[in-house]
Amino acid sequence: MAVTGDQIGPARSRERFLVGEPVRTGVRRPILDSWLRCRLLGLSPDRSDLPFRQDFDPDGRLVRAAAPVLDRLQQRFAGSEINISVADAEGMVLQRRFGEPSMARTLPAIQTVPGFVFAERYGGTNGIGLALAERRVVQVYGAEHFAERAQRNACCAVPIRDPLSGRIEGVLCFGYPHACERPALTALARRAAGRIERRLMEQSSARERGLLHAYADAERLARTGRAAPNGLHVGSPVAGGAAGLDELVETVELELDPHDRDVLKEKATELISASRRAAVGVALPHGRRATLLSRPVTSPSGVRGMVVEAVIGSDTPPVHHLSLPHPPGVAPAGADGAPAAGTAPAGPAAHVPSPPGTSAGPAPAAAPPSAPDGPGTVRGLVLVGEPEVGKYAVEARRRLELLAEASTRIGTTLDVGRTARELAEIAVPRLADYVTVDLPEAVLRGDEAADPGADLHRTVVHGIRDDCPFFPAGQRLDLHPGTPLLGCLTTREAVLEPDLKAATGWIAQSPDRARRVFAYGVHSLIAVPLLARGVVLGIASFYRARDPVPYGDDDRRLAQELAARAALCIDNARRYTREHTLALALQRSLLPRGLPEQGAVEVAHRYLPAESGVGGDWFDVIPLSGARVALLVGDVVGHGLHAAATMGRLRTAARTYAELELAPDELLTHLDNLLVRLDREEGDDGAAGSTGIAGATCLYAVYDPTTRQCTMARAGHLPPALVRPDGEVTFPDLPAGPPLGLGGLPFETAEFELPEDSTLVLYTDGLVEGRRQDVDLALDRLRSVLAHPGRTPEDTCRAVMEDMAPQHPADDIALLVARTHTLPADRIAGWDVPADPARVCDVRTAVTARLAAWGLEELGFAAELMLSELVTNAMRYGTEPIRVRLIHDRTLICEVSDGSSTAPHLRRAATTDEGGRGLFLVAQLAQSWGTRYTPRGKVIWAECALDAA
């Protein structure tokens, strides 16, 4: 669709969307919603690998129903560029047909071969995927497709529903060039999908089909005012009502939420079991009312049943239990119009919810003339069934519905405890009144339990009441022999106790508690082992109280099926917990375990991992020569083990480069080069699944307590916060620099003088960035949290994390708080030395006097000898100016600086050499020594421990 003037079509809108610009016009709402889902799924328009499966049944129920319809469509489209496909409810294509057979030889395999899955989560916005997501008829044109490969085509897709269950069984899709678009194609697709649905229904039971045909025949004959063959006469239906079974799929939708449907179906079940012609008013939420109309129907084979229709509208008049006359040949269930004696409440044998293009719900049809339509009123078929046998069908359907719902509601997270609770929530109240779930402590940690019954903990207690006296959640259970719970663990089979009062083993576990449980009406139990992949994970116990009928074998099988599905989800969560724990342990092992001793700053830190998946955030404190200290925070892009491993590499490299006394900008340059090299090596190894390193951000600062100078550089990282002693909070104007991993771009250094007792706050983006907060607002919030003078670094860390850290962090958070100290001037001594060997003795004399003033006379010999060697080397090999400095800190630091950039190297002198032993002596007398470069030369330093003899 082209762009005309100010009108923006899908192509331009899609371009805007992909670059993050807002899209308000030019694209239909379902398409835009689908684009948003595709982006959240991380799909790429230029690449979407569709899964290919070969495990489908080529002669399955849907294929058998669709094949004749597809054959007729292929004949109709003969010679055209239209292709027809049928996919299942997962989006996997089962059958394809082509108007022009030669198309199969020219199109890509994904458009010709069955087995490719076109669900939206794999293929992006497309006809099949969107029809499944929207659950209605959809059209997708050209640029509306998310994948670029599909943008030359258009398509129309219609969901295919099972007429009895209402579930979507698949999708019928027409694909064609955009130029072949015709309005009639959508109508044709609807009719074809309807024919497939009718063929699906023909595969159902003959009794249900007979009742549905009788209902449809009665409606069709009512148009002419004639009587139906079974003697049932129905007045003329309203305009637009269903005229027969062939047109059931063409009627309008009843807009009902699941709660409304459950209310209507429950009431309809009562009407069917009563076997009487009646009308019942039902109040629905939001001011809506419904009238349920029941009437007898008899199939041509003589099967008698009841049909229940609904008339729904905001102005539907309330009708309460209006008994209508029985038609000829149909007797009431009892003499007084009540259900026959001994007849249990029953449900229908067939349920016809929505036609194609509608959401799940009762399928509309005509209502009797006793409930005429009003403005905004819709009507539809709710249930058709037999009073005596319908209850079995309804129970089976309810079980299937429960299992289908369980597959979507259990396992929504990878949390073991939450998954266990989801099992309990889905079972109450439809299967049980109370549910308990007991798991071993090892499973909760993510491990396998060697003896599942040895360390059980009550994990979940859920029921219709909160005060039922079961063992509470969190309590350790010591199961006694003979209890049903221990029995199911031993046999790995569900244990049914229809009468709990006769279950002596269960009572013996806690007689007093058992008596209190019985007082709440609990009378029946099913204990099921949670078994997945051959591993016993725990026990799920289902208790019945309100229904006087005890549990039976059908209930046991249903409980087993529910428990099996939940156990698989619990096992997935357990495995994830184990892997997440291991990954988190690896990540924490790569972070500093303790902070080194140094006197330049007082430091506190926090690290908070993301709730799901480990990340690559890190921090470090590195003591440097001359009493200086380096502060470092960084963040590797991405999550997972790869990010954690990359973080470990970068942290190790940063410590190594810091030991080489590199300036902050030089250190970042080396880290940048390292990341580029690692990315290149991992990209060239050719290993399957190998991924390149996306990049990292970093902030590196060096603080010198002798001068209060702080030198910083950053690589795409957020600036630090500086809290001055008076409480003023600023964010230093520090050049941002490019992120690490881009390669070849320079970094800049900034230098600041910090007042004594200032506080530097370094952090990663997880603290201030999030889906629902603006960075600038978050920084202002951080400023207000930090604006409290006199806090210790530990107090600052606590306040920042309490106020800023999200409850469920989506990204790692690293926080490093450092309060600066200044080395007193009387602890520093320095002398300028002329390049005259005769002045070395003056240096020794001055050093001896200073050490005596500091009370360090015992270090005099070592200090004099080291400084004599270093000063002599500076005079011989260096250039002026030469300066000597002593620093009394945690160690005695001796420094000699000169204007040369030539560094000395330690070597072993031969026995015949006259020199070359000076640095060897220095290395023997000092606990550490080294060289660092300055803008004006170099400094050779050596440290002596204060307790050295």
Side-chain angles (χ1 to χ4, degrees), residues 198 201 207-224 226-230 232 234-235 237 241-249 251 295-300 306-309 350 352 363-366 381 383-384:
R198 289 192 292 276
M201 189 167 61
R207 296 176 70 92
E208 293 173 347
R209 192 165 61 250
L211 288 173
L212 287 171
H213 273 292
Y215 165 75
D217 289 341
E219 295 299 324
R220 182 186 304 110
L221 293 173
R223 288 181 176 273
T224 62
R226 291 184 290 126
N230 59 9
L232 176 62
V234 184
L245 194 62
D246 292 341
E247 297 169 2
L248 276 176
V249 295
T251 52
R295 52 191 174 89
V297 63
T298 304
S299 72
M306 299 293 294
V307 57
V308 179
E309 296 171 312
V352 184
L381 177 65
L383 296 174
V384 174

Side-chain angles (χ1 to χ4, degrees), residues 185 189 279 397 761 800:
L185 287 177
R397 183 171 59 254
V761 181
V800 170

Side-chain angles (χ1 to χ4, degrees), residues 71 271 281 421 501 592 600 617 810 919:
D71 291 339
L271 293 175
R421 184 160 192 86
K501 293 184 178 180
D617 292 18
L919 286 181

Side-chain angles (χ1 to χ4, degrees), residues 837-846 868:
R839 302 298 297 273
V840 175
C841 62
D842 297 337
V843 174
R844 290 199 297 267
T845 301
S868 295

